[in-house]
Amino acid sequence: MENQLLDERTETDLLHEAKEGNFAAFQQLVTKLQPRVYGLTFRILHQAQDAEDATQQTFMALIEHIADFREESSVATWVLRIATNNALKILRKKRTVKMVSMSEMASEDSYSDVPHPEFIAPWSQTAEEIAQQSEVQEELQKALLELDDKYRLVFILRDVEGLSVRDTAHALELTESNVKVRLLRARLILRERLTKKFGDALQAMIPDHKHS
Amino acid sequence: MTCEELLKALNDYVDGAQLTEICEEFSQHLAGCDPCQVVVDNIRQTISLYRAGQPYAMPKSFEERLQQSLKQRWEEKHGGSGASATFG
């Protein structure tokens, strides 16, 4: 009975109780948030052990800082931001050679060299139908992994996790305009690749206009 | 409208901006441009496809270890009987 009552509490309710020292509420909050935290860190790191480390660090940090959290964003957004930072730290350590520098990570991108759509065709099935196919997930992850980190991270946070442009910018310490440019690039690269696979070639079209 | 402006407008449109908020020129262009409409649709499908998959369930064994570690840390921080809420 008590568990049922706990389950009906929102993340914000649980946060408030946890702030007052209620461990059961804190545990409930962790249970609610852990699929997203683990999913996000796994998507960034692509390795179970690393994702576990980042997840654990995130919730440990939550214990440390929960009392100071000023609730300027939702608790989920805040926790996902901590998770992103932890995942990035692990990613940077692993990529000492290949890793782009912090300044490159934060450098401004422009729209001028964004790749233009080449293969344009409606997909022959809906995303929901395609998602049911077992080999598709692997294909999706492969495509995502081939993106540069700076584009991949923006796509994961904004489009997969559904954070706002503003929260994505905040989590990655980028400007909102830079998030948008990188997002466009990530979306166009993934669109191109997935449309080559799932697009209906018989209905392929060529842009019939030239922009100046 | 340059290619860059068009792509930028298209990106905002995918993000849910209303056509009226973007610009009249883009709105008119989109209405008459099938390839652009298909690109928008492709991008939306791409995002849906990535959102549809939930392949990363947290391993049960890790969940148990995590709960243990958190309980231990909580008790260290809050002193002993962390599991019971006390007020005052």
Side-chain angles (χ1 to χ4, degrees), chain A residues 69-86:
Chain A
F69 175 48
R70 293 200 303 271
E71 300 180 50
E72 284 160 356
S73 65
S74 75
V75 61
T77 301
W78 179 55
V79 169
L80 289 178
R81 191 188 310 152
I82 298 172
T84 304
N85 284 334
N86 287 326

Side-chain angles (χ1 to χ4, degrees), chain A residues 152-193:
Chain A
R152 195 164 62 89
L153 290 165
V154 167
F155 183 81
I156 291 171
L157 288 180
R158 169 72 187 115
D159 283 344
V160 184
E161 290 300 324
L163 264 61
S164 66
V165 169
R166 188 169 163 269
D167 288 334
T168 303
H170 201 147
L172 298 172
E173 295 177 19
L174 297 171
T175 63
E176 289 185 36
S177 64
N178 208 8
V179 165
K180 287 186 186 177
V181 187
R182 290 185 184 187
L183 197 56
L184 175 62
R185 187 183 286 266
R187 286 168 170 176
L188 287 174
I189 294 170
L190 294 173
R191 185 213 71 86
E192 196 71 44
R193 178 160 175 165

